[in-house]
Amino acid sequence: MKHFFNRREDIVAEALDGLLLTSAPGQLARLDTYPAIKVIVRADWDKSKVAVISGGGAGHEPSHAGFVGRGMLTAAVSGEIFASPSVDAVLTAIRAVTGAPGCLLIVKNYTGDRLNFGLAAEKARAQGLTVEMAIVADDIALPDLPQPRGVAGTLFVHKIAGHLAEAGEPLEAVAEAARTAAADIVSLGVSLSTCSIPGQAHEDRLGPDEGELGLGIHGEPGVERIALQAAASLVSTMAERLVASIKTDGKHALLINNLGAVPPIEMGVIAKAVLDSPLADRVELIVGPAPLMTALNMNGFSLSMIKLDATRDAALTSAVAPRAWVPPTRRHELAVLPAPGWTDTNKTTTDDAVATAADPVVAGKLLDAVCNRLVAMEADLNRLDAKTGDGDTGSTVATGARSVLALRPTLPLGSAAATCAAIGEALGTSMGGSSGVLLSIFFTAAAQKFAEGADPASAFSAGLDRMTFYGGANPGDRTMVDALSPALSALASSGLAAAAAAARKGAKATGNMTRAKAGRSSYLAARDLEGVSDPGAEAVAAAFEAAAAAD
């Protein structure tokens, strides 16, 4: 695995400095104890209220330093990656921010954190400071474990304690609220890969079709290995275990946490699956989905739940300074608005004697052959596109073909103009990407020519003219045009079989073109293009070949 860093020894200190340099001026500062002791504090802190301190090993960003600021943490103590900060580091933080009102330490239930924060608390008390501690043990992966781990649910405690401290509540009240909140949190995580630590060799213990359920936030193995499965199925399993672990009825807050490497689009799928699951019946507030307590680049997520009451609701929804905190949203139904209708008042009707007629049986046979061939080529075209693009040409083309097949029973196949217009509309709506728009232009323009009585070669050539005008690609630019243009020329002079042969020759020629002048391939060097045919041209050639075979 590859990482961006300078020296392994400096990565945590430099990352924390990066956080400070990109935060609003006057909000955050670090103590001058770098690099051995890494403490981030509120720059505006005057010790007039209860201080709230948390921390632990690095690698969980934005936790913990990302949550330092008004309304949340007063200070965060950082160790090295996945390593607890030292007793001296924690004690230094306590001394730096604790005034007469005292301070609360929020500690995740890992042995190193518990011991180091605990000894620091004892030393601080011996020095005359008032210190309380709340330990978070929210992980339910091993229900019978006497000492469950503290994971992402810790953020609920940060927010609740930070809110009460900011409101001026005394230490006893802040500590009691933090402890009772910690007791009401349940969390469960899942991942499809192990994380990779910068500067260390990476070995993924999981197979290509395996994941892990019930894991912590330090790259340790999960409680059980699971088969790769649909998101909804995986979330259903997690929801069942979370519901079984919730001690009381009533409404809860839900935190959907990205463990580091799940793309936003997949986190959206996960969020929908969670809110479609039985777990949703208990949810009132939703935090995320967002990376809040990560495990470096782990490709996984966790779900955390806490029972709500009026105090916790107010605490979790109050505004805070740290930008890493995601303001909760209240659970609501999906909003759907009707799309506006449209009638083309300028559309002119064409006399049936002028418009080009078509044999519906032949037209349907050709259409089925072309669409089925393009659907069957989905994987092959994706693999070809992955060599020079983003690997989705096959899926895009197959989506368009499926949309036409779905429309097939209602197509007016006896009218070439009406059929092309309907296909153009379908491709423009469903296919997506630039190719969907270009083909929609192609069929829409062809439909207009068919309505004027043009033959197929002339009508489709008019479509090609409009497509190249708007798209900007011409023969020789290494696009679908390199197959479509010669095919239409051959269709006009020699028929469908000749058109298929010309399209195949044109597609093959794109493999010898080492300079693309349009599309994503235009960003690539000659060495990346050599010997690789354009997938759009291959799709066009395949379409003509399927049509010729069915003719």
Side-chain angles (χ1 to χ4, degrees), residues 16 29-31 33-34 37-41 75-78 89 92-93 96:
L16 290 172
R30 64 171 169 85
L31 301 184
T33 51
Y34 262 31
I37 291 176
K38 294 176 275 292
V39 177
I40 304 299
V41 300
V77 195
S78 179
T92 299

Side-chain angles (χ1 to χ4, degrees), residues 475-498:
D477 287 351
R478 205 180 189 281
T479 69
M480 70 171 81
V481 173
D482 288 298
L484 188 55
S485 180
L488 293 179
S489 295
L491 180 66
S493 61
S494 306
L496 195 51

Side-chain angles (χ1 to χ4, degrees), residues 54-57 60 64 77 79 82-86 90 105-120 133 135 150 217-218:
S54 189
H60 307 303
H64 302 82
V77 195
F82 295 165
S84 177
S86 67
V90 178
L105 304 180
I106 299 175
V107 182
K108 297 185 300 302
N109 196 27
Y110 285 93
T111 302
D113 287 350
R114 212 170 53 242
L115 293 178
N116 289 350
F117 276 80
L119 181 52
M133 183 183 294
I135 297 176
I217 54 173
H218 297 101

Side-chain angles (χ1 to χ4, degrees), residues 103-319:
C103 82
L104 173 68
L105 304 180
I106 299 175
V107 182
K108 297 185 300 302
N109 196 27
Y110 285 93
T111 302
D113 287 350
R114 212 170 53 242
L115 293 178
N116 289 350
F117 276 80
L119 181 52
E122 292 302 318
K123 288 188 173 185
R125 293 186 187 110
Q127 296 171 11
L129 298 174
T130 306
V131 181
E132 294 289 342
M133 183 183 294
I135 297 176
V136 186
D138 55 316
D139 182 30
I140 64 161
L142 290 168
D144 300 325
L145 188 68
Q147 293 288 339
R149 295 170 291 200
V151 287
T154 307
L155 295 170
F156 286 137
V157 185
H158 289 173
K159 188 66 172 64
I160 292 167
H163 170 77
L164 295 175
E166 190 69 34
E169 293 292 329
L171 178 59
E172 294 78 8
V174 176
E176 177 62 18
R179 290 171 185 143
T180 56
D184 284 342
I185 302 171
V186 292
S187 296
L188 187 62
V190 67
S191 183
L192 303 182
S193 71
T194 57
C195 63
S196 172
I197 299 176
Q200 291 187 16
H202 176 249
E203 182 176 348
D204 198 335
R205 59 180 170 266
L206 299 175
D209 297 320
E210 286 185 319
E212 287 182 325
L213 180 64
L215 66 159
I217 54 173
H218 297 101
E220 63 267 49
V223 171
E224 59 185 281
R225 294 200 179 181
I226 57 173
L228 190 63
Q229 55 196 274
S233 175
L234 184 56
V235 166
S236 178
T237 300
M238 298 175 71
E240 181 180 335
R241 299 190 186 187
L242 287 165
V243 168
S245 299
I246 293 174
K247 303 177 180 67
T248 57
D249 294 329
K251 291 301 184 181
H252 289 67
L254 165 69
L255 186 149
I256 307 174
N257 175 53
N258 187 340
L259 283 166
V262 183
I265 190 171
E266 294 178 30
M267 289 305 300
V269 172
I270 290 163
K272 182 180 185 301
V274 174
L275 295 171
D276 284 343
S277 76
L279 201 64
D281 293 337
R282 297 174 178 261
V283 173
E284 169 65 20
L285 292 179
I286 306 160
V287 182
L292 296 164
M293 186 172 286
T294 61
L296 290 173
N297 58 354
M298 186 174 284
N299 185 23
F301 68 94
S302 63
L303 304 176
S304 299
M305 301 276 287
I306 184 173
K307 172 73 181 299
L308 284 175
D309 57 26
T311 299
R312 291 175 185 173
D313 190 297
L316 292 174
T317 56
S318 63

Side-chain angles (χ1 to χ4, degrees), residues 498-514:
R504 174 56 58 196
K505 183 178 179 181
K508 184 177 180 180
T510 61
N512 298 320
M513 298 177 185
T514 56

Side-chain angles (χ1 to χ4, degrees), residues 104 402 527:
L104 173 68
R402 291 188 184 101
R527 66 177 182 276

